[in-house]
């Protein structure tokens, strides 16, 4: 009886080894023993480590789904290896493709171009046409230097005129009549070398007066520019972005030209040294943008003024 008991115990051990090992008992020690007996060697060890990270649940169903999709012939191995191979096949699908972002580049305003400066994208104002003729609308801007006591008095150093397309029709440096005490280079952009070969003031006055005569003069704070030029211009022919009400802030105060350019033109100007050509171009583009509404408002005001004059004459 003892001999028969020993035979039965030995048969139980053989059956236990032949049966598939449950997942709960699939430890590294027992699996290493199986892998040592298996002829696949190191590759199966790597597959086993991959399997322990994935924690798949159903072995037979996963193998059945993976075989037709990959077209591979699965080897006759135990259920645990089939589960590992099915998991690997699923993970080796098509590589992840990044969705292409839609093109978000918006159309830029006419006369504006994007440029990169020190890794930062900035917008620059450029002419919107190659036409350099003298148009009915001209934009004026001047740069000043400091003369007189402590350099507090303004003196003309540069004057620029651009047409309605933003092209330069006049741009000259002016040699001041008085000794320059402050070149204000950080703001004006004017240096001593710029004024050594500058034009005389009276020559510039004459040339600018001939150019703007009978034309619509556009600018920002035109009163200051005309003052240093010692010129005058009919008010009805002036379009000043500094005093135009729709361009002022909520409390009716004028905005700086750089703020108007950033708000309405989407460009950055006067970040450092000023440029009279760029400033004149910004004023012209602002006027062109609001031209229709601006001129309509002026016609309406003119009509109201004429009606009031007629009423006064009737009363008399």
């Amino acid at each position: 009886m003892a001999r028969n008991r020993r035979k039965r115990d030995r048969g139980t051990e053989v059956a236990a080894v032949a049966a598939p090992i449950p997942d709960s008992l699939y430890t590294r020690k027992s699996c290493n023993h199986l892998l040592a007996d298996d002829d696949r060697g190191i590759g199966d060890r790597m597959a086993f480590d991959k399997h322990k990270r994935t924690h798949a649940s159903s072995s037979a169903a996963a193998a059945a789904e993976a075989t037709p999709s990959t077209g591979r012939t699965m080897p006759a191995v135990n259920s645990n290896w089939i589960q590992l191979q099915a998991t690997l096949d699923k993970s080796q699908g098509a590589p992840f493709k990044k969705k292409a972002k839609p093109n978000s580049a918006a159309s830029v305003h006419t006369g504006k171009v994007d440029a990169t400066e020190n890794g930062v994208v900035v917008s620059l104002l450029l002419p919107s046409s190659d036409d350099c003729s003298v148009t009915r609308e001209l934009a004026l801007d001047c740069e000043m230097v400091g003369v007189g006591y402590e350099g507090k008095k303004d003196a003309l150093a540069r004057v620029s005129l651009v047409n309605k397309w933003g092209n330069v029709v006049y741009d000259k440096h002016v040699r001041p009549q008085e000794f320059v005490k402050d070149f204000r280079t950080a703001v004006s952009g004017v240096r001593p070398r710029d004024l050594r070969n500058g034009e005389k003031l009276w020559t510039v006055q004459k040339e600018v007066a001939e150019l703007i005569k009978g034309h619509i003069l556009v600018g920002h704070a035109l009163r200051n520019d005309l003052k240093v030029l010692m010129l005058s211009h009919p008010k009805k022919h002036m379009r000043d972005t500094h005093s135009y009400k729709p361009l002022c802030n909520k409390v009716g105060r004028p905005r700086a030209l750089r703020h108007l350019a950033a708000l309405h033109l989407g460009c950055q100007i006067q970040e450092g040294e000023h440029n009279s050509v760029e400033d004149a171009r910004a004023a012209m583009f602002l006027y062109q943008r609001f031209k229709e509404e601006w001129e309509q408002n002026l016609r309406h005001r003119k009509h109201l003024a004429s009606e009031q004059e007629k009423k006064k004459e009737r009363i008399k």
Side-chain angles (χ1 to χ4, degrees):
M1 291 179 65
R3 184 180 298 176
N4 292 336
R5 189 180 297 109
R6 284 197 297 271
K7 287 183 178 180
R8 284 197 301 272
D9 295 341
R10 189 178 300 170
T12 305
E13 292 176 0
V14 172
V17 171
I21 300 174
D23 290 342
S24 59
L25 300 177
Y26 205 84
T27 62
R28 175 173 288 277
K29 184 175 180 181
S30 62
C31 190
N32 285 342
H33 175 70
L34 292 175
L35 290 173
D37 295 336
D38 202 336
D39 59 355
R40 281 183 298 276
I42 298 174
D44 289 344
R45 280 195 187 88
M46 295 174 63
F48 165 72
D49 292 337
K50 183 73 175 179
H51 165 65
K52 290 200 70 178
R53 291 193 298 269
T54 56
H55 299 287
S57 59
S58 174
S59 60
E65 292 178 1
T67 302
S69 62
T70 58
R72 298 182 183 179
T73 304
M74 302 300 294
V77 293
N78 59 44
S79 59
N80 293 295
W81 171 247
I82 293 175
Q83 182 178 352
L84 290 174
Q85 192 66 31
T87 305
L88 290 173
D89 289 343
K90 286 185 177 180
S91 65
Q92 292 175 355
F96 174 75
K97 292 184 179 180
K98 221 173 188 179
K99 290 185 178 179
K101 292 183 179 181
N103 187 9
S104 59
S107 58
V108 297
H109 184 269
T110 303
K112 188 187 78 171
V113 66
D114 292 336
T116 304
E117 181 179 349
N118 297 328
V120 179
V121 177
V122 296
S123 297
L124 305 175
L125 287 175
L126 294 178
S128 56
S129 173
D130 296 332
D131 189 353
C132 295
S133 61
V134 179
T135 55
R136 185 171 181 269
E137 299 94 1
L138 293 174
L140 170 71
D141 191 77
C142 298
E143 300 296 342
M144 295 88 157
V145 292
V147 298
Y149 178 70
E150 294 183 352
K152 293 183 179 180
K153 182 181 176 182
D154 293 336
L156 182 64
R158 184 183 179 184
V159 56
S160 303
L161 284 167
V162 301
N163 60 12
K164 70 176 184 178
W165 311 114
N167 288 303
V168 178
V169 296
Y170 189 88
D171 184 26
K172 287 186 178 181
H173 284 92
V174 183
R175 188 167 61 249
Q177 295 177 317
E178 301 180 47
F179 180 76
V180 179
K181 291 189 175 181
D182 186 2
F183 284 90
R184 306 173 184 173
T185 305
V187 177
S188 67
V190 178
R191 291 167 173 78
R193 64 173 179 267
D194 298 327
L195 304 184
R196 290 192 188 109
N197 299 321
E199 287 282 355
K200 295 181 179 179
L201 178 60
W202 68 270
T203 303
V204 173
Q205 283 178 329
K206 183 179 179 180
E207 293 173 350
V208 172
E210 291 176 355
L211 283 170
I212 66 176
K213 185 178 180 180
H215 291 264
I216 301 295
L217 189 62
V218 182
H220 191 78
L222 280 172
R223 182 181 64 179
N224 298 332
D225 296 330
L226 292 173
K227 182 179 179 180
V228 293
L229 277 166
M230 292 185 281
L231 293 175
S232 61
H233 199 70
K235 188 175 181 180
K236 64 179 181 179
H237 290 160
M238 293 172 62
R239 305 292 184 268
D240 198 335
T241 57
H242 181 264
S243 57
Y244 184 51
K245 293 298 181 183
L247 295 179
C248 296
N249 59 20
K250 295 181 180 179
V251 296
R253 293 182 179 178
R255 286 191 173 102
L257 183 60
R258 66 177 180 274
H259 296 156
L260 293 175
L263 181 62
H264 299 288
L265 302 178
C267 64
Q268 299 175 1
I269 63 172
Q270 299 179 350
E271 290 296 311
E273 298 178 3
H274 292 199
N275 186 316
S276 55
V277 172
E278 187 179 53
D279 293 349
R281 193 174 287 155
M284 176 57 75
F285 289 164
L286 284 169
Y287 168 70
Q288 293 294 337
R289 181 160 189 174
F290 294 93
K291 180 179 178 180
E292 184 177 352
E293 178 186 351
W294 200 327
E295 296 299 330
Q296 184 178 359
N297 187 25
L298 289 176
R299 287 193 297 268
H300 180 66
R301 291 174 59 183
K302 185 178 179 180
H303 176 71
L304 290 178
S306 62
E307 290 292 332
Q308 289 178 359
E309 289 180 0
K310 289 180 180 179
K311 288 181 179 179
K312 289 180 181 180
E313 291 178 357
R314 290 174 185 174
I315 292 173
K316 292 180 180 178

